[in-house]
């Protein structure tokens, strides 16, 4: 029996039925899921209620998983699995963080449009997010299709941006929101990296923008000019016509393709309501510039 695919938006997102992700997914079913992801860039699997082990097993079908970093300097974690990142406003005892907890501020960086791990030399291919607890209001997640946005650019803009490389850094996106508590290890482990701004999406063969709040400036351009271009492209690519907003239900498992989308969390009252999401992140194979230019290595 095949999966059911119901598109949610003209460009991005589809709801998937007819598969239980708590069970091992047979290769032919996985091939259908992968094809749907390549086409729709973001998939919603309702009512899955996965435990971490099940989410990790399903995620591994897409490729090797990232292990969760300790950006905000919290040693104790709520989640035991190193492949599962804690996307919540809960402290290690499972209580809503206090308003002065630096992790709360760090997590609010997810409310800027971004694509996951573009600040790493090898960024993320796709991410999977499972909803364990959701607030009664707010806390949606928005997704923008950067292939549709690329298609809609003027020919002059397409020519202007072809081949440009941006410098991405987690320090850049977090500094924007006023987070300054990066420790030395994180700073030296995560130096700025180059990422191409127009890439060919391997899953569909379509051209796509590749942008994020982590993108700081264009390499070889005056910083302010590059920053302005990146801001203009992000504003264009996130116009409502390219965006699907997902309103979460407990048990949803959502997967998105980081190579051709951006996403952001919507605000909610994070010092009052609980929001508990678990993320697994599938690594891409190589740096985006290397992929686009045929594996010639970049600094
Ligand atoms: C993420 C992310 C946004 C959200 O998990 O990568 O950006 O709405 N999440 O939680
Ligand atoms: Mn993210």
């Amino acid at each position: 029996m095949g999966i059911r695919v119901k598109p949610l938006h003209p460009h991005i997102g589809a709801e998937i039925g007819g598969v239980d992700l708590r069970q091992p997914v047979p290769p032919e079913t996985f091939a259908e899921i992968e094809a749907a992801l390549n086409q729709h860039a973001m998939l919603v699997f309702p009512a899955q209620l996965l435990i971490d082990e099940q989410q990790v097993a399903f995620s591994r079908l897409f490729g090797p998983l990232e292990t969760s970093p300790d950006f905000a300097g919290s040693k104790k974690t709520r989640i035991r699995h190193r492949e599962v990142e804690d996307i919540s406003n809960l402290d290690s005892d499972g209580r809503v963080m206090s308003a002065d907890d630096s992790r709360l501020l760090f997590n609010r960086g997810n409310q800027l449009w971004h694509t996951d791990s573009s600040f790493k030399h090898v960024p993320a291919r796709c991410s999977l997010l499972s909803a364990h607890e959701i607030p009664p209001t707010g806390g949606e997640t928005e997704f923008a299709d950067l292939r549709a946005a690329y298609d809609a650019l003027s020919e002059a803009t397409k020519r202007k941006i072809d081949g440009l490389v941006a410098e991405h850094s987690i320090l850049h996106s977090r500094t924007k929101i006023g987070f300054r508590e990066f420790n030395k290890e994180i700073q030296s482990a995560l130096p700025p990296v180059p990422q191409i701004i127009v890439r060919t999406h391997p899953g569909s063969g379509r051209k796509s923008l590749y942008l994020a709040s982590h993108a700081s400036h264009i390499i070889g351009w005056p910083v302010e000019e590059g920053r302005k271009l990146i801001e203009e492209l992000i504003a264009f690519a996130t116009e409502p016509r390219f965006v699907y907003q997902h309103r979460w239900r407990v048990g949803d498992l959502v997967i998105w393709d980081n190579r051709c989308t951006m996403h952001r969390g919507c605000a909610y009252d994070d010092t009052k309501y609980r929001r508990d999401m678990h993320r697994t992140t599938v690594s891409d194979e190589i740096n985006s510039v290397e992929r686009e230019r045929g594996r010639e290595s970049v600094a």
Side-chain angles (χ1 to χ4, degrees):
M1 193 191 73
I3 59 168
R4 293 187 307 275
V5 181
K6 187 178 100 189
L8 295 167
H9 179 277
H11 297 304
I12 183 166
E15 187 172 293
I16 306 296
V19 58
D20 179 356
L21 301 180
R22 287 168 300 188
Q23 308 296 330
V25 174
E28 56 284 9
T29 307
F30 180 69
E32 290 180 31
I33 292 172
E34 206 172 24
L37 183 62
N38 283 335
Q39 183 180 350
H40 299 284
M42 179 271 189
L43 304 176
V44 183
F45 298 82
Q48 295 289 337
L49 294 164
L50 301 185
I51 59 169
D52 289 343
E53 287 75 10
Q54 293 159 340
Q55 182 174 344
V56 167
F58 177 57
S59 304
R60 281 207 181 117
L61 299 178
F62 292 89
L65 302 188
E66 291 185 1
T67 46
S68 63
D70 186 23
F71 288 135
S74 56
K75 286 279 170 278
K76 276 205 302 179
T77 49
R78 225 167 39 87
I79 298 178
R80 273 187 313 108
H81 274 272
R82 287 196 65 226
E83 297 99 332
V84 180
E85 188 157 355
D86 188 348
I87 309 290
S88 77
N89 61 336
L90 307 176
D91 65 18
S92 49
D93 299 320
R95 285 188 297 256
V96 172
M97 288 173 188
S98 62
D100 60 357
D101 194 315
S102 67
R103 288 169 295 178
L104 209 53
L105 177 58
F106 182 84
N107 292 344
R108 287 185 198 143
N110 279 343
Q111 295 177 14
L112 303 175
W113 284 108
H114 67 283
T115 180
D116 291 333
S117 299
S118 72
F119 52 84
K120 295 183 183 169
H121 188 72
V122 175
R125 174 189 172 185
C126 54
S127 302
L128 300 92
L129 195 59
S130 174
H132 291 239
E133 288 182 81
I134 55 169
T137 135
E140 302 85 357
T141 309
E142 295 185 328
F143 298 88
D145 189 306
L146 303 194
R147 300 172 301 185
Y150 178 82
D151 290 345
L153 291 172
S154 70
E155 290 306 315
T157 304
K158 286 180 185 167
R159 274 195 301 276
K160 176 172 150 188
I161 64 177
D162 187 41
L164 295 182
V165 175
E167 184 172 292
H168 289 231
S169 161
I170 183 89
L171 266 68
H172 180 66
S173 55
R174 291 320 189 249
T175 304
K176 272 194 209 169
I177 57 160
F179 184 86
R180 303 198 193 280
E181 294 179 36
F182 280 103
N183 57 40
K184 285 272 174 304
E185 294 94 285
I186 297 286
Q187 289 196 25
S188 52
L190 292 170
V193 297
Q195 303 290 0
I196 201 127
I197 71 168
V198 178
R199 58 189 301 188
T200 306
H201 175 239
S204 62
R206 292 175 63 190
K207 280 202 165 184
S208 179
L209 290 167
Y210 189 57
L211 301 163
S213 59
H214 315 302
S216 154
H217 59 276
I218 304 290
I219 293 172
W221 280 30
V223 169
E224 286 315 315
E225 209 178 306
R227 206 154 271 179
K228 185 162 164 282
L229 175 69
I230 290 167
E231 274 165 22
E232 282 168 7
L233 289 172
I234 290 179
F236 178 81
T238 56
E239 284 178 12
R241 59 186 161 143
F242 305 123
V243 174
Y244 166 73
Q245 185 187 73
H246 185 61
R247 180 170 288 282
W248 292 91
R249 296 147 297 190
V250 168
D252 282 352
L253 187 275
V254 167
I255 171 165
W256 61 88
D257 189 329
N258 285 296
R259 302 169 303 183
C260 62
T261 61
M262 278 193 293
H263 60 281
R264 68 170 177 189
C266 297
Y268 67 102
D269 192 340
D270 58 5
T271 56
K272 180 171 174 194
Y273 298 125
R274 300 169 66 85
R275 184 174 189 265
D276 183 11
M277 321 286 279
H278 293 202
R279 192 183 87 194
T280 38
T281 316
V282 181
S283 196
D284 203 351
E285 292 149 4
I286 56 171
N287 172 269
S288 65
V289 188
E290 290 172 20
R291 185 194 284 282
E292 208 56 34
R293 295 189 180 161
R295 288 183 189 258
E296 103 200 23
S297 84
V298 286

